[in-house]
PDB file of all heavy atoms in Angstrom:
ATOM      1  N   ARG A   1     -12.076  16.126 -14.723  1.00 94.00           N
ATOM      2  CA  ARG A   1     -11.117  16.593 -15.651  1.00 94.00           C
ATOM      3  C   ARG A   1     -10.926  15.667 -16.828  1.00 94.00           C
ATOM      4  O   ARG A   1     -10.766  16.122 -17.942  1.00 94.00           O
ATOM      5  CB  ARG A   1      -9.792  16.841 -14.978  1.00 94.00           C
ATOM      6  CG  ARG A   1      -8.715  17.420 -15.793  1.00 94.00           C
ATOM      7  CD  ARG A   1      -7.332  17.467 -15.228  1.00 94.00           C
ATOM      8  NE  ARG A   1      -6.679  16.220 -15.193  1.00 94.00           N
ATOM      9  CZ  ARG A   1      -6.111  15.683 -16.211  1.00 94.00           C
ATOM     10  NH1 ARG A   1      -6.177  16.199 -17.400  1.00 94.00           N
ATOM     11  NH2 ARG A   1      -5.416  14.521 -16.111  1.00 94.00           N
ATOM     12  N   LEU A   2     -11.028  14.368 -16.571  1.00 96.00           N
ATOM     13  CA  LEU A   2     -10.798  13.432 -17.570  1.00 96.00           C
ATOM     14  C   LEU A   2     -11.945  13.265 -18.599  1.00 96.00           C
ATOM     15  O   LEU A   2     -11.737  13.104 -19.799  1.00 96.00           O
ATOM     16  CB  LEU A   2     -10.472  12.008 -16.959  1.00 96.00           C
ATOM     17  CG  LEU A   2      -9.109  11.919 -16.217  1.00 96.00           C
ATOM     18  CD1 LEU A   2      -9.088  10.564 -15.502  1.00 96.00           C
ATOM     19  CD2 LEU A   2      -7.917  12.121 -17.163  1.00 96.00           C
ATOM     20  N   PHE A   3     -13.152  13.327 -18.007  1.00 96.00           N
ATOM     21  CA  PHE A   3     -14.363  12.953 -18.820  1.00 96.00           C
ATOM     22  C   PHE A   3     -15.428  14.006 -18.845  1.00 96.00           C
ATOM     23  O   PHE A   3     -16.605  13.704 -19.148  1.00 96.00           O
ATOM     24  CB  PHE A   3     -14.933  11.628 -18.289  1.00 96.00           C
ATOM     25  CG  PHE A   3     -13.959  10.446 -18.338  1.00 96.00           C
ATOM     26  CD1 PHE A   3     -13.463   9.920 -17.144  1.00 96.00           C
ATOM     27  CD2 PHE A   3     -13.531   9.921 -19.528  1.00 96.00           C
ATOM     28  CE1 PHE A   3     -12.570   8.856 -17.132  1.00 96.00           C
ATOM     29  CE2 PHE A   3     -12.732   8.893 -19.565  1.00 96.00           C
ATOM     30  CZ  PHE A   3     -12.207   8.341 -18.407  1.00 96.00           C
ATOM     31  N   HIS A   4     -15.104  15.309 -18.579  1.00 93.00           N
ATOM     32  CA  HIS A   4     -16.170  16.317 -18.507  1.00 93.00           C
ATOM     33  C   HIS A   4     -16.817  16.559 -19.859  1.00 93.00           C
ATOM     34  O   HIS A   4     -17.887  17.189 -19.966  1.00 93.00           O
ATOM     35  CB  HIS A   4     -15.561  17.598 -17.992  1.00 93.00           C
ATOM     36  CG  HIS A   4     -14.537  18.297 -18.901  1.00 93.00           C
ATOM     37  ND1 HIS A   4     -13.217  17.918 -18.894  1.00 93.00           N
ATOM     38  CD2 HIS A   4     -14.646  19.189 -19.865  1.00 93.00           C
ATOM     39  CE1 HIS A   4     -12.568  18.616 -19.812  1.00 93.00           C
ATOM     40  NE2 HIS A   4     -13.438  19.439 -20.425  1.00 93.00           N
ATOM     41  N   GLU A   5     -16.232  16.169 -20.970  1.00 92.00           N
ATOM     42  CA  GLU A   5     -16.847  16.345 -22.259  1.00 92.00           C
ATOM     43  C   GLU A   5     -17.946  15.313 -22.559  1.00 92.00           C
ATOM     44  O   GLU A   5     -18.692  15.507 -23.553  1.00 92.00           O
ATOM     45  CB  GLU A   5     -15.760  16.381 -23.346  1.00 92.00           C
ATOM     46  CG  GLU A   5     -14.806  17.520 -23.254  1.00 92.00           C
ATOM     47  CD  GLU A   5     -13.735  17.461 -24.373  1.00 92.00           C
ATOM     48  OE1 GLU A   5     -13.819  16.482 -25.210  1.00 92.00           O
ATOM     49  OE2 GLU A   5     -12.891  18.371 -24.417  1.00 92.00           O
ATOM     50  N   GLU A   6     -17.994  14.275 -21.790  1.00 94.00           N
ATOM     51  CA  GLU A   6     -18.993  13.228 -22.000  1.00 94.00           C
ATOM     52  C   GLU A   6     -20.410  13.707 -21.643  1.00 94.00           C
ATOM     53  O   GLU A   6     -20.538  14.542 -20.678  1.00 94.00           O
ATOM     54  CB  GLU A   6     -18.701  11.958 -21.227  1.00 94.00           C
ATOM     55  CG  GLU A   6     -17.362  11.325 -21.607  1.00 94.00           C
ATOM     56  CD  GLU A   6     -17.351  10.915 -23.130  1.00 94.00           C
ATOM     57  OE1 GLU A   6     -18.348  10.380 -23.589  1.00 94.00           O
ATOM     58  OE2 GLU A   6     -16.273  11.169 -23.789  1.00 94.00           O
ATOM     59  N   ARG A   7     -21.370  13.278 -22.348  1.00 92.00           N
ATOM     60  CA  ARG A   7     -22.684  13.669 -22.003  1.00 92.00           C
ATOM     61  C   ARG A   7     -23.203  13.285 -20.630  1.00 92.00           C
ATOM     62  O   ARG A   7     -23.895  13.973 -19.939  1.00 92.00           O
ATOM     63  CB  ARG A   7     -23.705  13.115 -23.066  1.00 92.00           C
ATOM     64  CG  ARG A   7     -25.152  13.605 -22.998  1.00 92.00           C
ATOM     65  CD  ARG A   7     -26.000  13.131 -24.150  1.00 92.00           C
ATOM     66  NE  ARG A   7     -26.081  11.676 -24.049  1.00 92.00           N
ATOM     67  CZ  ARG A   7     -27.149  11.067 -23.355  1.00 92.00           C
ATOM     68  NH1 ARG A   7     -28.037  11.761 -22.683  1.00 92.00           N
ATOM     69  NH2 ARG A   7     -27.192   9.694 -23.372  1.00 92.00           N
ATOM     70  N   GLU A   8     -22.833  12.107 -20.209  1.00 94.00           N
ATOM     71  CA  GLU A   8     -23.181  11.605 -18.863  1.00 94.00           C
ATOM     72  C   GLU A   8     -22.101  10.679 -18.315  1.00 94.00           C
ATOM     73  O   GLU A   8     -21.632   9.759 -19.051  1.00 94.00           O
ATOM     74  CB  GLU A   8     -24.508  10.788 -18.979  1.00 94.00           C
ATOM     75  CG  GLU A   8     -24.997  10.294 -17.591  1.00 94.00           C
ATOM     76  CD  GLU A   8     -26.242   9.439 -17.722  1.00 94.00           C
ATOM     77  OE1 GLU A   8     -26.574   8.995 -18.821  1.00 94.00           O
ATOM     78  OE2 GLU A   8     -26.899   9.220 -16.696  1.00 94.00           O
ATOM     79  N   VAL A   9     -21.726  10.940 -17.071  1.00 95.00           N
ATOM     80  CA  VAL A   9     -20.876  10.054 -16.337  1.00 95.00           C
ATOM     81  C   VAL A   9     -21.551   9.801 -14.980  1.00 95.00           C
ATOM     82  O   VAL A   9     -21.843  10.715 -14.260  1.00 95.00           O
ATOM     83  CB  VAL A   9     -19.470  10.631 -16.071  1.00 95.00           C
ATOM     84  CG1 VAL A   9     -18.660   9.674 -15.309  1.00 95.00           C
ATOM     85  CG2 VAL A   9     -18.775  10.957 -17.421  1.00 95.00           C
ATOM     86  N   ARG A  10     -21.885   8.585 -14.721  1.00 95.00           N
ATOM     87  CA  ARG A  10     -22.629   8.250 -13.514  1.00 95.00           C
ATOM     88  C   ARG A  10     -21.554   7.796 -12.428  1.00 95.00           C
ATOM     89  O   ARG A  10     -20.733   6.976 -12.630  1.00 95.00           O
ATOM     90  CB  ARG A  10     -23.534   7.035 -13.704  1.00 95.00           C
ATOM     91  CG  ARG A  10     -24.653   7.413 -14.739  1.00 95.00           C
ATOM     92  CD  ARG A  10     -25.503   6.121 -15.086  1.00 95.00           C
ATOM     93  NE  ARG A  10     -26.461   6.466 -16.106  1.00 95.00           N
ATOM     94  CZ  ARG A  10     -27.191   5.506 -16.764  1.00 95.00           C
ATOM     95  NH1 ARG A  10     -27.063   4.288 -16.403  1.00 95.00           N
ATOM     96  NH2 ARG A  10     -28.010   5.886 -17.668  1.00 95.00           N
ATOM     97  N   VAL A  11     -21.665   8.436 -11.284  1.00 95.00           N
ATOM     98  CA  VAL A  11     -20.634   8.262 -10.286  1.00 95.00           C
ATOM     99  C   VAL A  11     -21.325   7.842  -8.964  1.00 95.00           C
ATOM    100  O   VAL A  11     -22.398   8.343  -8.607  1.00 95.00           O
ATOM    101  CB  VAL A  11     -19.900   9.584  -9.934  1.00 95.00           C
ATOM    102  CG1 VAL A  11     -18.665   9.378  -9.039  1.00 95.00           C
ATOM    103  CG2 VAL A  11     -19.362  10.097 -11.343  1.00 95.00           C
ATOM    104  N   GLU A  12     -20.706   6.922  -8.236  1.00 92.00           N
ATOM    105  CA  GLU A  12     -21.207   6.429  -6.909  1.00 92.00           C
ATOM    106  C   GLU A  12     -20.095   6.025  -6.063  1.00 92.00           C
ATOM    107  O   GLU A  12     -19.030   5.619  -6.480  1.00 92.00           O
ATOM    108  CB  GLU A  12     -22.187   5.366  -7.049  1.00 92.00           C
ATOM    109  CG  GLU A  12     -21.716   4.097  -7.644  1.00 92.00           C
ATOM    110  CD  GLU A  12     -22.753   2.990  -7.634  1.00 92.00           C
ATOM    111  OE1 GLU A  12     -23.192   2.594  -6.613  1.00 92.00           O
ATOM    112  OE2 GLU A  12     -23.086   2.540  -8.786  1.00 92.00           O
ATOM    113  N   LYS A  13     -20.299   6.216  -4.751  1.00 89.00           N
ATOM    114  CA  LYS A  13     -19.241   5.782  -3.768  1.00 89.00           C
ATOM    115  C   LYS A  13     -19.171   4.296  -3.676  1.00 89.00           C
ATOM    116  O   LYS A  13     -20.143   3.569  -3.797  1.00 89.00           O
ATOM    117  CB  LYS A  13     -19.651   6.370  -2.420  1.00 89.00           C
ATOM    118  CG  LYS A  13     -19.537   7.838  -2.299  1.00 89.00           C
ATOM    119  CD  LYS A  13     -19.887   8.342  -0.904  1.00 89.00           C
ATOM    120  CE  LYS A  13     -21.354   8.045  -0.548  1.00 89.00           C
ATOM    121  NZ  LYS A  13     -21.709   8.619   0.774  1.00 89.00           N
ATOM    122  N   GLY A  14     -17.922   3.828  -3.614  1.00 87.00           N
ATOM    123  CA  GLY A  14     -17.762   2.372  -3.349  1.00 87.00           C
ATOM    124  C   GLY A  14     -17.440   2.169  -1.895  1.00 87.00           C
ATOM    125  O   GLY A  14     -17.703   2.972  -1.024  1.00 87.00           O
ATOM    126  N   ALA A  15     -16.986   0.952  -1.601  1.00 87.00           N
ATOM    127  CA  ALA A  15     -16.690   0.542  -0.208  1.00 87.00           C
ATOM    128  C   ALA A  15     -15.555   1.250   0.373  1.00 87.00           C
ATOM    129  O   ALA A  15     -14.633   1.701  -0.277  1.00 87.00           O
ATOM    130  CB  ALA A  15     -16.454  -1.008  -0.156  1.00 87.00           C
ATOM    131  N   PHE A  16     -15.623   1.499   1.725  1.00 91.00           N
ATOM    132  CA  PHE A  16     -14.452   1.872   2.422  1.00 91.00           C
ATOM    133  C   PHE A  16     -13.462   0.672   2.571  1.00 91.00           C
ATOM    134  O   PHE A  16     -13.830  -0.458   2.519  1.00 91.00           O
ATOM    135  CB  PHE A  16     -14.813   2.241   3.932  1.00 91.00           C
ATOM    136  CG  PHE A  16     -15.425   3.588   4.007  1.00 91.00           C
ATOM    137  CD1 PHE A  16     -16.745   3.747   4.321  1.00 91.00           C
ATOM    138  CD2 PHE A  16     -14.652   4.711   3.834  1.00 91.00           C
ATOM    139  CE1 PHE A  16     -17.328   4.951   4.459  1.00 91.00           C
ATOM    140  CE2 PHE A  16     -15.222   6.030   3.949  1.00 91.00           C
ATOM    141  CZ  PHE A  16     -16.576   6.116   4.225  1.00 91.00           C
ATOM    142  N   LEU A  17     -12.178   0.985   2.510  1.00 94.00           N
ATOM    143  CA  LEU A  17     -11.146  -0.047   2.588  1.00 94.00           C
ATOM    144  C   LEU A  17     -10.455  -0.036   3.930  1.00 94.00           C
ATOM    145  O   LEU A  17     -10.264   1.009   4.553  1.00 94.00           O
ATOM    146  CB  LEU A  17     -10.171   0.157   1.452  1.00 94.00           C
ATOM    147  CG  LEU A  17     -10.730   0.085   0.038  1.00 94.00           C
ATOM    148  CD1 LEU A  17      -9.681   0.546  -1.022  1.00 94.00           C
ATOM    149  CD2 LEU A  17     -11.159  -1.308  -0.331  1.00 94.00           C
ATOM    150  N   SER A  18     -10.055  -1.179   4.400  1.00 92.00           N
ATOM    151  CA  SER A  18      -9.371  -1.333   5.667  1.00 92.00           C
ATOM    152  C   SER A  18      -8.313  -2.449   5.520  1.00 92.00           C
ATOM    153  O   SER A  18      -8.375  -3.287   4.606  1.00 92.00           O
ATOM    154  CB  SER A  18     -10.402  -1.678   6.812  1.00 92.00           C
ATOM    155  OG  SER A  18     -10.964  -2.905   6.534  1.00 92.00           O
ATOM    156  N   ARG A  19      -7.362  -2.430   6.447  1.00 90.00           N
ATOM    157  CA  ARG A  19      -6.465  -3.576   6.560  1.00 90.00           C
ATOM    158  C   ARG A  19      -7.207  -4.724   7.156  1.00 90.00           C
ATOM    159  O   ARG A  19      -7.765  -4.617   8.225  1.00 90.00           O
ATOM    160  CB  ARG A  19      -5.248  -3.115   7.428  1.00 90.00           C
ATOM    161  CG  ARG A  19      -4.272  -4.285   7.711  1.00 90.00           C
ATOM    162  CD  ARG A  19      -3.194  -3.857   8.683  1.00 90.00           C
ATOM    163  NE  ARG A  19      -2.568  -4.994   9.290  1.00 90.00           N
ATOM    164  CZ  ARG A  19      -3.012  -5.721  10.322  1.00 90.00           C
ATOM    165  NH1 ARG A  19      -4.178  -5.352  10.845  1.00 90.00           N
ATOM    166  NH2 ARG A  19      -2.352  -6.765  10.792  1.00 90.00           N
ATOM    167  N   GLY A  20      -7.032  -5.931   6.517  1.00 82.00           N
ATOM    168  CA  GLY A  20      -7.796  -7.031   7.004  1.00 82.00           C
ATOM    169  C   GLY A  20      -6.919  -8.312   7.058  1.00 82.00           C
ATOM    170  O   GLY A  20      -7.144  -9.181   6.220  1.00 82.00           O
ATOM    171  N   CYS A  21      -5.997  -8.373   7.960  1.00 73.00           N
ATOM    172  CA  CYS A  21      -5.143  -9.495   8.021  1.00 73.00           C
ATOM    173  C   CYS A  21      -5.856 -10.833   8.394  1.00 73.00           C
ATOM    174  O   CYS A  21      -5.497 -11.886   7.957  1.00 73.00           O
ATOM    175  CB  CYS A  21      -3.992  -9.321   9.039  1.00 73.00           C
ATOM    176  SG  CYS A  21      -2.720 -10.592   8.946  1.00 73.00           S
ATOM    177  N   ARG A  22      -6.900 -10.723   9.219  1.00 69.00           N
ATOM    178  CA  ARG A  22      -7.719 -11.856   9.663  1.00 69.00           C
ATOM    179  C   ARG A  22      -7.031 -12.837  10.534  1.00 69.00           C
ATOM    180  O   ARG A  22      -7.617 -13.926  10.792  1.00 69.00           O
ATOM    181  CB  ARG A  22      -8.361 -12.477   8.445  1.00 69.00           C
ATOM    182  CG  ARG A  22      -9.161 -11.521   7.514  1.00 69.00           C
ATOM    183  CD  ARG A  22      -9.996 -12.247   6.542  1.00 69.00           C
ATOM    184  NE  ARG A  22      -9.234 -13.090   5.555  1.00 69.00           N
ATOM    185  CZ  ARG A  22      -8.820 -12.513   4.406  1.00 69.00           C
ATOM    186  NH1 ARG A  22      -9.056 -11.236   4.099  1.00 69.00           N
ATOM    187  NH2 ARG A  22      -8.241 -13.268   3.552  1.00 69.00           N
ATOM    188  N   CYS A  23      -5.817 -12.551  10.991  1.00 70.00           N
ATOM    189  CA  CYS A  23      -5.117 -13.504  11.861  1.00 70.00           C
ATOM    190  C   CYS A  23      -5.588 -13.277  13.317  1.00 70.00           C
ATOM    191  O   CYS A  23      -5.571 -12.055  13.817  1.00 70.00           O
ATOM    192  CB  CYS A  23      -3.636 -13.393  11.730  1.00 70.00           C
ATOM    193  SG  CYS A  23      -3.002 -11.739  12.159  1.00 70.00           S
ATOM    194  N   THR A  24      -5.933 -14.386  14.037  1.00 68.00           N
ATOM    195  CA  THR A  24      -6.298 -14.232  15.474  1.00 68.00           C
ATOM    196  C   THR A  24      -5.675 -15.420  16.137  1.00 68.00           C
ATOM    197  O   THR A  24      -5.452 -16.476  15.612  1.00 68.00           O
ATOM    198  CB  THR A  24      -7.798 -14.219  15.648  1.00 68.00           C
ATOM    199  OG1 THR A  24      -8.334 -15.482  15.134  1.00 68.00           O
ATOM    200  CG2 THR A  24      -8.470 -13.090  14.810  1.00 68.00           C
ATOM    201  N   LEU A  25      -5.552 -15.309  17.465  1.00 67.00           N
ATOM    202  CA  LEU A  25      -5.093 -16.398  18.343  1.00 67.00           C
ATOM    203  C   LEU A  25      -6.045 -17.584  18.214  1.00 67.00           C
ATOM    204  O   LEU A  25      -5.619 -18.708  18.121  1.00 67.00           O
ATOM    205  CB  LEU A  25      -4.976 -15.910  19.721  1.00 67.00           C
ATOM    206  CG  LEU A  25      -4.250 -16.898  20.756  1.00 67.00           C
ATOM    207  CD1 LEU A  25      -2.876 -17.235  20.339  1.00 67.00           C
ATOM    208  CD2 LEU A  25      -4.322 -16.282  22.163  1.00 67.00           C
ATOM    209  N   GLU A  26      -7.355 -17.293  18.177  1.00 73.00           N
ATOM    210  CA  GLU A  26      -8.313 -18.358  18.146  1.00 73.00           C
ATOM    211  C   GLU A  26      -8.237 -19.163  16.814  1.00 73.00           C
ATOM    212  O   GLU A  26      -8.345 -20.381  16.762  1.00 73.00           O
ATOM    213  CB  GLU A  26      -9.727 -17.797  18.231  1.00 73.00           C
ATOM    214  CG  GLU A  26     -10.073 -17.254  19.607  1.00 73.00           C
ATOM    215  CD  GLU A  26      -9.423 -15.929  19.870  1.00 73.00           C
ATOM    216  OE1 GLU A  26      -8.901 -15.279  18.895  1.00 73.00           O
ATOM    217  OE2 GLU A  26      -9.221 -15.560  21.067  1.00 73.00           O
ATOM    218  N   HIS A  27      -7.950 -18.414  15.685  1.00 66.00           N
ATOM    219  CA  HIS A  27      -7.786 -19.088  14.380  1.00 66.00           C
ATOM    220  C   HIS A  27      -6.652 -20.063  14.418  1.00 66.00           C
ATOM    221  O   HIS A  27      -6.744 -21.210  13.939  1.00 66.00           O
ATOM    222  CB  HIS A  27      -7.651 -18.023  13.341  1.00 66.00           C
ATOM    223  CG  HIS A  27      -7.197 -18.590  12.025  1.00 66.00           C
ATOM    224  ND1 HIS A  27      -8.013 -19.294  11.193  1.00 66.00           N
ATOM    225  CD2 HIS A  27      -5.964 -18.612  11.335  1.00 66.00           C
ATOM    226  CE1 HIS A  27      -7.367 -19.700  10.104  1.00 66.00           C
ATOM    227  NE2 HIS A  27      -6.181 -19.272  10.151  1.00 66.00           N
ATOM    228  N   TYR A  28      -5.440 -19.619  14.996  1.00 69.00           N
ATOM    229  CA  TYR A  28      -4.280 -20.444  14.926  1.00 69.00           C
ATOM    230  C   TYR A  28      -4.390 -21.574  15.941  1.00 69.00           C
ATOM    231  O   TYR A  28      -3.889 -22.711  15.742  1.00 69.00           O
ATOM    232  CB  TYR A  28      -3.116 -19.663  15.256  1.00 69.00           C
ATOM    233  CG  TYR A  28      -2.650 -18.743  14.066  1.00 69.00           C
ATOM    234  CD1 TYR A  28      -2.530 -17.366  14.220  1.00 69.00           C
ATOM    235  CD2 TYR A  28      -2.489 -19.283  12.844  1.00 69.00           C
ATOM    236  CE1 TYR A  28      -2.150 -16.563  13.169  1.00 69.00           C
ATOM    237  CE2 TYR A  28      -2.074 -18.516  11.749  1.00 69.00           C
ATOM    238  CZ  TYR A  28      -1.980 -17.114  11.911  1.00 69.00           C
ATOM    239  OH  TYR A  28      -1.654 -16.377  10.817  1.00 69.00           O
ATOM    240  N   ARG A  29      -5.094 -21.337  17.046  1.00 74.00           N
ATOM    241  CA  ARG A  29      -5.404 -22.468  17.993  1.00 74.00           C
ATOM    242  C   ARG A  29      -6.216 -23.544  17.325  1.00 74.00           C
ATOM    243  O   ARG A  29      -5.928 -24.730  17.514  1.00 74.00           O
ATOM    244  CB  ARG A  29      -6.068 -21.956  19.211  1.00 74.00           C
ATOM    245  CG  ARG A  29      -5.226 -21.322  20.256  1.00 74.00           C
ATOM    246  CD  ARG A  29      -6.025 -20.767  21.449  1.00 74.00           C
ATOM    247  NE  ARG A  29      -5.146 -20.234  22.443  1.00 74.00           N
ATOM    248  CZ  ARG A  29      -5.619 -19.421  23.442  1.00 74.00           C
ATOM    249  NH1 ARG A  29      -6.877 -19.007  23.444  1.00 74.00           N
ATOM    250  NH2 ARG A  29      -4.739 -18.986  24.370  1.00 74.00           N
ATOM    251  N   ASP A  30      -7.192 -23.109  16.581  1.00 74.00           N
ATOM    252  CA  ASP A  30      -8.079 -24.117  15.921  1.00 74.00           C
ATOM    253  C   ASP A  30      -7.226 -24.898  14.848  1.00 74.00           C
ATOM    254  O   ASP A  30      -7.386 -26.084  14.742  1.00 74.00           O
ATOM    255  CB  ASP A  30      -9.288 -23.320  15.273  1.00 74.00           C
ATOM    256  CG  ASP A  30     -10.063 -24.329  14.494  1.00 74.00           C
ATOM    257  OD1 ASP A  30     -10.755 -25.191  15.127  1.00 74.00           O
ATOM    258  OD2 ASP A  30     -10.110 -24.218  13.185  1.00 74.00           O
TER     259      ASP A  30
END
């Protein structure tokens, strides 16, 4: 809708996103 008048718009999928707190019992023990 925003850019349909442009001659070419190249589109590709990016990464999936996830929650990544990265806290673990092993990390805090260390």
